[in-house]
């Protein structure tokens, strides 16, 4: 079945450092891909998405490119801030009719001032 | 703000008791999903409604779990005879059927079974 694999955390960076969180997927068909962010005690917020190969999603300085050839959707940010500290989830949308999400296990990011 | 709302936000119960959670999706969203998230894990799909019809249930959804969406609006998730293993965050999400499959999540209900 479909699956998503994320790099394990926690990831600890200094403010203004470059961020990469790796995400690869296995899926039949051509799923949409998403990054969600979860702040402590809160639900999931959509960060960005891409719906087809070579699409680049971007939001709040974060970017991710849908790479069909490597089945990847890595999240990047050029300069992280303390306020970016959160858990980041990569997900795909099952194209079998329900469009339910398959999530990775999440990567905790901690940014130090 | 007319996002997805869930009630209650926290629920503490004793093993063996029944609990019910409510989710109010974004109005005009005809798709509704329930997920369960345990500590340190990503959310896992439980069940899906399109309007009032429950179209898919995960194998995670044992016989003790039941979900409804009367009239295609709000949804309830009931757990009967709770067990300690049911302790988790229960998330609800909604979306609009069509070309976009973006889901919008509520804040979740955190269940603790003692």
């Amino acid at each position: 079945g479909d699956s998503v694999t994320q790099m394990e955390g926690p990831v600890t960076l200094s403010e203004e450092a470059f961020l990469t969180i790796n995400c690869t997927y296995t899926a039949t068909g051509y799923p949409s891909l998403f990054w969600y962010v979860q702040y402590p005690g809160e639900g999931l917020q959509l960060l960005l998405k891409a719906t087809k190969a070579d699409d680049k999603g971007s939001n709040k300085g974060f970017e991710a490119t849908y790479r069909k050839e490597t089945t990847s959707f890595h999240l990047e940010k050029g300069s992280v801030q303390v306020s970016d500290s959160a858990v980041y989830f990569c997900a795909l949308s099952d194209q079998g009719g329900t469009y339910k999400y398959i999530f990775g296990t999440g990567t905790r990011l901690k940014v130090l001032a | 703000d007319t996002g997805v709302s869930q009630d209650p936000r926290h629920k503490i119960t004793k093993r063996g008791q029944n609990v019910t959670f409510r989710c109010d999706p974004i109005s005009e969203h005809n798709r509704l999903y329930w997920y369960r998230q345990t500590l340190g894990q990503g959310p896992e799909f439980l069940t899906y409604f399109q309007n009032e019809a429950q179209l898919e249930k995960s194998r995670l959804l044992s016989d003790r779990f039941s979900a409804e969406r009367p009239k295609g609006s709000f949804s309830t998730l009931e757990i009967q005879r709770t067990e300690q293993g049911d302790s988790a965050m229960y998330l609800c999400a909604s979306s609009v059927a069509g070309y976009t499959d973006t889901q919008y999540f509520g804040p979740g209900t955190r269940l603790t079974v003692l």
Side-chain angles (χ1 to χ4, degrees):
Chain A
D2 295 356
S3 65
V4 174
T5 302
Q6 275 183 250
M7 63 185 287
E8 290 192 16
V11 173
T12 303
L13 296 173
S14 298
E15 206 165 23
E16 299 183 3
F18 184 85
L19 168 71
T20 300
I21 300 178
N22 290 337
C23 171
T24 57
Y25 68 91
T26 302
T28 54
Y30 303 97
S32 296
L33 301 174
F34 304 84
W35 278 100
Y36 280 81
V37 58
Q38 187 174 37
Y39 298 100
E42 298 185 13
L44 299 172
Q45 299 177 25
L46 176 67
L47 183 58
L48 53 85
K49 70 175 186 179
T51 58
K52 61 184 187 297
D54 300 324
D55 266 3
K56 177 185 281 188
S58 61
N59 186 27
K60 301 180 181 179
F62 291 90
E63 293 183 341
T65 301
Y66 191 143
R67 301 286 189 200
K68 182 169 171 288
E69 64 277 11
T70 55
T71 61
S72 65
F73 193 55
H74 305 320
L75 182 67
E76 296 182 336
K77 187 175 185 184
S79 176
V80 293
Q81 305 300 312
V82 172
S83 57
D84 294 327
S85 298
V87 181
Y88 292 81
F89 292 96
C90 184
L92 65 80
S93 172
D94 180 280
Q95 300 297 298
T98 65
Y99 301 99
K100 64 179 182 284
Y101 283 179
I102 309 296
F103 284 91
T105 54
T107 302
R108 181 175 298 279
L109 171 65
K110 185 173 182 180
V111 180
L112 304 177
Chain B
D1 184 275
T2 56
V4 179
S5 61
Q6 292 186 245
D7 185 70
R9 294 291 304 276
H10 304 274
K11 179 70 177 179
I12 300 174
T13 191
K14 293 182 179 179
R15 191 176 52 185
Q17 298 295 303
N18 298 344
V19 294
T20 300
F21 310 141
R22 177 179 169 124
C23 169
D24 287 90
I26 295 171
S27 59
E28 88 261 7
H29 279 196
N30 51 357
R31 289 181 171 160
L32 188 145
Y33 303 81
W34 285 98
Y35 294 85
R36 181 170 67 187
Q37 184 181 16
T38 53
L39 201 61
Q41 299 298 315
E44 295 176 293
F45 169 77
L46 292 178
T47 191
Y48 160 67
F49 290 85
Q50 179 152 337
N51 299 311
E52 67 275 9
Q54 186 175 21
L55 297 183
E56 184 170 337
K57 293 192 292 186
S58 162
R59 280 172 286 184
L60 292 175
L61 215 62
S62 75
D63 292 344
R64 296 184 298 105
F65 288 70
S66 63
E68 295 182 340
R69 192 183 183 197
K71 302 178 184 178
S73 56
F74 71 92
S75 175
T76 58
L77 178 68
E78 180 183 16
I79 309 174
Q80 296 183 327
R81 306 181 303 282
T82 52
E83 302 173 355
Q84 288 186 326
D86 297 331
S87 295
M89 175 79 87
Y90 290 84
L91 295 167
C92 176
S94 69
S95 69
V96 178
Y99 68 89
T100 176
D101 45 7
T102 301
Q103 294 179 27
Y104 297 87
F105 284 80
T109 294
R110 180 167 296 284
L111 173 66
T112 302
V113 181
L114 302 176

